[in-house]
Amino acid sequence: MFIFSGTLPDYKLMWTKLASFILRQRIAILIVLALLTVFMGYMGRGVAIQYALPQLLPDSDSTLIAYKEFRQQYGKEPTVIVLGIPENPLNSVELYNAWYQLGNDFKAIEGVDTVVSVCNLFELKKDVEAQRFNLSFVHKGPVKDEAELKVVRDKIFSLPFYSELLFNDSTGASLMALSLDDSKFNSKTRMILVDALMAVTDEFGEKYAIETHLSGLPFVRSIVSSMVERELKLFIFLALAVTILILFFFFRDYRPVVIALIVVGMAVIWSLGTMGILGYEITILTSIIPPLLIVIGVPNCVYLINKYHSEYLKHKNKAKALTRVVVLVGRATFMTNATTAAGFGTFIFTQSILLVEFGWVAAINILLLFVFSLCLIPIFFSFIPDPKEKNIQHLELAWMKRIMESVTFIVERRRPLVYLVTIVLMLAAGYGMSKIVSTGNLVDDLPEDHYVLSDLAFFEEHFTGVMPFEITVDALKPKMIMKSSTMKRLEKTQDLVASYDEFTRPMSIVEGVKFIKQGFYGGDPEKYSLINSREKAFFKPYVDNFSGDQSILAPYIDSTRQRARITLQMADVGTKQMSAILEDLKPRIDSILPPEKYHVQYTGTSVVYLMGANYLVRNLFISLLLAILIVGIIMALLFSSARMIFISIFINVLPLMITAAMMGYFGIPIKPSTILVFSIAFGISVDDTIHYLAKYRQELRHQDDNIGKAVHFTLSETGVSMFYTSVILFFGFSVFDSSQFGGTKALGILVSLTLFVAMVANLILLPSLLLSLEKALLSKSFREPLLEIYDEEEDIDHDELEIRKGEPGSFKSYNPNS
């Protein structure tokens, strides 16, 4: 597609043959595209919503490697949803019995494996004759009266093992933990299970007039996945609605609207089919690709339809007009689609699976979008009657002429003011950019008033948090973990971690051993401590004979007794705070567990995700620089002038600076969802620059290097299409403002803002610079580029093309004298 200027006849002939092929084989092309679209629809029907947390880190990252090793050693983190209430069932007979019944109601739901609450706790009983421990429920079933409840309450309060895990002594809040069947939860029936849990919870809350809160990482993931699925449908509907309204406003004819909808509709189907073929799931990012293709695809259609109408207006020959659409605008459209695809394609180099998948699907389908529009628009217009005067009135709209006249006046007469405003904006942008902060939370994209956040705040207030955090300790030698010296170090480490407000009370083999010792001494709470060296001989037969110790110790230690884990939950702190906590915690733990004797790692879902957010922010800046580099290379091929390359890059970087400044001024943080704005907007906004400069170079030839006339005529022709497409893109991206996710909402607002500023920059600042710099830009390399996308003055004659009489829509070349 990139054609060398030295072979213009060959490349023009190639595009002409392509146009002829499209129009002559239009029935075959329609059939092939229809069959392929059915196939892609079939492949896309089974694309599932991603339920698991997205992988943000590359496979080679040490944090992810440590997490995979942890899961291999101790198995997957249990799928647990927690229910919290602000009252303690141990203080009320009615509430205790209701809490007990609620647990049974949960157990009756298919997919719920176990339920743990204050109503079904166990203790250890010592069997002296058999020299073993037996597990025994503290109390089984409902309580009869206050006296029986007091016995249960006193017994539970005497077991420090449960303190701060299922109830909060100071606030009175209590929770119930529901362990779910992974095979049921990680499937399409997930929301059926979650809805059942929510229904039982709501019924309990209404019946007993008590506030209820559901949370836990699996629950949050379920709600987010459900929202992503709903928003995918909403965005497609809104994008189509906005597209229809704007297209009809511009064209005042239903036929261009229908044709454009068919083009973008195919792109949506193919995007889902691409995900199905590649084995990708629908994530919070890939869910925006279908509506994104609608927004990006419509400007393609506008350029092609406008060119068809303008060509037909000149010579009233539909065949010639349609052929020239392919030959002339096809080249420019390909280049603009290529730059847009390059902007998205840079995500492929981040090595983050989440962004790599987004980059591949977006880039592939943007290029396919070019194919659909180039083929379908000429074909469909070949079947419908010739345009009438009312169908092409949009080319001569009075209000559009006034806008272009105003732009021309500013460019020609008010350039000093343009430069002054630009300098002020750059200074303001520099200050605003210095105020940007970076953050990343597991739920920071949810709206502030969402119930998931309020429920999460309840657990952070009463139980510190529900986000998994793990510390693994490798003693480097088998059986070293059970040594008294190591156990004391682990206990000291637990106490240190517990002193941080962001962490819950830790659980490890230390707590299991203490629980066993308390059971050995008849449940005496004063004996809840580590076994000392003198006591080991007494405990050995009991521990060896107690099969139940596997349920207490096994989750926290490996079979060789060389490695152990300290497991806890934490608040949903941001990446900045997490980094500060780890930076402070690591040296303090190293002083307890010297690195030369113990290998300590910090992992868990919260660590992996938050470190992944940091990774994305760093690498997405690299992807933006890569996008600028790629676009710079394309500009070099198109314009072969260092000055033009610098101007075109500056024109499109300036809107990014202003957008970044707005983020700083309005407190919108840099995070994985908002950093996408820059690469997406840059890849799209540079399209107008390409169209303008390519047309400007052509006008220079027509006007004998008269820069003023070239700028004027370029604005009058290309400016209209630039305005149309910018308006479509502005309102198209605005549909994302309706999202419930803060990141997606910010994406819509910020991209719309960036594209609006880019339109103004391309319509006013770019021609102003061309006029001011004048001869400095008129280099031979600019006049004779390596690649050419506009070349109308040397166009091949298509006057002999006509539609056969009696065979509507059939094209042929003929000799008028025959």
Side-chain angles (χ1 to χ4, degrees), residues 247-298:
L247 286 175
F248 192 78
F249 175 77
F250 285 148
F251 292 111
R252 305 299 174 92
D253 182 5
Y254 72 91
R255 289 172 295 187
V257 177
V258 172
I259 293 171
L261 290 179
I262 293 173
V263 171
V264 297
M266 283 183 58
V268 169
I269 295 172
W270 279 63
S271 67
L272 295 173
T274 303
M275 283 188 266
I277 291 172
L278 296 177
Y280 295 165
E281 294 179 314
I282 296 176
T283 66
I284 194 171
L285 290 186
T286 54
S287 67
I288 69 174
I289 290 178
L292 197 64
L293 290 172
I294 296 174
V295 174
I296 295 173
V298 170

Side-chain angles (χ1 to χ4, degrees), residues 348-573:
I348 297 169
F349 300 98
T350 61
Q351 297 184 9
S352 167
I353 291 179
L354 179 71
L355 286 176
V356 168
E357 293 179 356
F358 176 76
W360 274 118
V361 176
I364 290 171
N365 285 278
I366 286 171
L367 293 177
L368 287 171
L369 194 56
F370 161 75
V371 176
F372 299 152
S373 57
L374 190 68
C375 292
L376 295 179
I377 287 178
I379 289 175
F380 283 134
F381 273 103
S382 73
F383 283 108
I384 63 179
D386 294 359
K388 295 180 173 57
E389 185 176 346
K390 65 178 182 179
N391 302 135
I392 54 180
Q393 287 179 347
H394 64 91
L395 298 175
E396 301 291 337
L397 293 175
W399 62 270
M400 179 56 67
K401 282 187 176 181
R402 289 194 293 269
I403 291 177
M404 288 300 108
E405 288 172 357
S406 300
V407 170
T408 303
F409 174 80
I410 294 172
V411 169
E412 294 178 347
R413 304 293 180 86
R414 296 289 186 268
R415 288 199 299 278
L417 178 61
V418 171
Y419 300 143
L420 177 61
V421 172
T422 300
I423 292 171
V424 171
L425 286 175
M426 289 180 65
L427 293 174
Y431 178 71
M433 289 168 64
S434 68
K435 299 171 68 68
I436 292 181
V437 297
S438 175
T439 186
N441 298 73
L442 284 165
V443 293
D444 62 355
D445 278 340
L446 291 174
E448 293 181 359
D449 59 348
H450 198 278
Y451 66 88
V452 167
L453 292 184
S454 60
D455 287 349
L456 184 61
F458 170 85
F459 287 99
E460 291 184 348
E461 177 185 355
H462 296 282
F463 298 96
T464 306
V466 294
M467 301 302 173
F469 184 89
E470 299 282 349
I471 301 174
T472 61
V473 180
D474 186 345
L476 305 181
K477 294 181 181 179
K479 300 184 179 180
M480 283 297 295
I481 284 293
M482 298 303 296
K483 294 287 186 181
S484 296
S485 59
T486 301
M487 294 292 286
K488 290 178 182 178
R489 290 179 187 272
L490 292 177
E491 182 180 35
K492 192 173 181 180
T493 300
Q494 286 190 182
D495 294 341
L496 170 64
V497 176
S499 67
Y500 287 75
D501 294 336
E502 295 82 3
F503 295 115
T504 62
R505 176 190 159 210
M507 290 296 292
S508 73
I509 188 175
V510 171
E511 301 304 312
V513 169
K514 289 179 179 180
F515 192 47
I516 288 174
K517 181 176 178 179
Q518 182 181 5
F520 182 85
Y521 287 105
D524 183 359
E526 297 294 327
K527 298 298 183 178
Y528 190 77
S529 61
L530 289 174
I531 299 171
N532 58 49
S533 55
R534 297 192 306 272
E535 296 172 321
K536 281 187 176 180
F538 299 103
F539 279 87
K540 189 176 186 308
Y542 285 88
V543 174
D544 290 343
N545 294 330
F546 177 44
S547 59
D549 72 327
Q550 295 303 309
S551 63
I552 299 174
L553 303 182
Y556 304 105
I557 191 171
D558 74 332
S559 59
T560 66
R561 302 195 174 189
Q562 176 179 317
R563 303 175 186 86
R565 65 189 280 200
I566 300 174
T567 183
L568 55 154
Q569 282 73 46
M570 66 179 301
D572 182 27
V573 299

Side-chain angles (χ1 to χ4, degrees), residues 73-267:
Q73 184 68 48
Y74 298 101
K76 293 175 62 177
E77 293 170 323
T79 303
V80 176
I81 292 178
V82 290
L83 166 64
I85 57 175
E87 299 178 27
N88 193 339
L90 294 173
N91 296 328
S92 164
V93 173
E94 181 185 14
L95 184 57
Y96 180 92
N97 291 338
W99 198 240
Y100 172 80
Q101 182 57 45
L102 178 62
N104 289 338
D105 293 340
F106 281 133
K107 288 180 184 178
I109 298 175
E110 185 179 3
V112 177
D113 283 344
T114 58
V115 176
V116 179
S117 72
V118 293
C119 299
N120 59 356
L121 300 181
F122 61 85
E123 60 179 327
L124 293 181
K125 296 282 190 178
K126 183 174 66 172
D127 185 340
V128 178
E129 292 185 5
Q131 288 192 310
R132 60 177 295 165
F133 291 114
N134 295 317
L135 285 173
S136 175
F137 281 105
V138 171
H139 184 80
K140 195 169 184 179
V143 295
K144 298 176 182 178
D145 49 33
E146 180 62 38
E148 190 172 19
L149 178 62
K150 183 177 183 306
V151 173
V152 175
R153 182 171 59 245
D154 292 343
K155 170 56 70 174
I156 292 176
F157 284 169
S158 72
L159 298 172
F161 183 83
Y162 299 113
S163 178
E164 299 180 32
L165 293 182
L166 295 173
F167 54 87
N168 186 313
D169 293 336
S170 58
T171 67
S174 185
L175 67 78
M176 180 181 295
L178 314 175
S179 179
L180 308 180
D181 181 353
D182 280 347
S183 63
K184 296 286 185 182
F185 191 75
N186 295 320
S187 68
K188 292 182 179 180
T189 61
R190 163 189 291 226
M191 286 312 300
I192 297 177
L193 173 56
V194 172
D195 289 343
L197 296 177
M198 295 176 68
V200 171
T201 300
D202 292 342
E203 182 181 355
F204 170 82
E206 292 175 5
K207 182 176 181 179
Y208 294 98
I210 193 167
E211 184 181 325
T212 59
H213 303 273
L214 281 172
S215 193
L217 195 54
F219 180 76
V220 172
R221 292 205 318 262
S222 300
I223 300 303
V224 169
S225 298
S226 177
M227 292 170 63
V228 167
E229 187 174 11
R230 289 197 302 270
E231 290 200 349
L232 172 60
K233 301 173 183 176
L234 174 66
F235 290 155
I236 292 176
F237 171 78
L238 290 178
L240 288 173
V242 169
T243 297
I244 291 171
L245 290 175
I246 296 176
L247 286 175
F248 192 78
F249 175 77
F250 285 148
F251 292 111
R252 305 299 174 92
D253 182 5
Y254 72 91
R255 289 172 295 187
V257 177
V258 172
I259 293 171
L261 290 179
I262 293 173
V263 171
V264 297
M266 283 183 58

Side-chain angles (χ1 to χ4, degrees), residues 16 317 319-320 323-324 327 795-802:
T16 303
N317 185 327
K320 179 179 179 179
T323 303
R324 287 174 65 89
V327 175
D795 188 37
I796 294 175
D797 186 16
H798 301 291
D799 288 331
E800 294 181 350
L801 285 173
E802 70 164 11

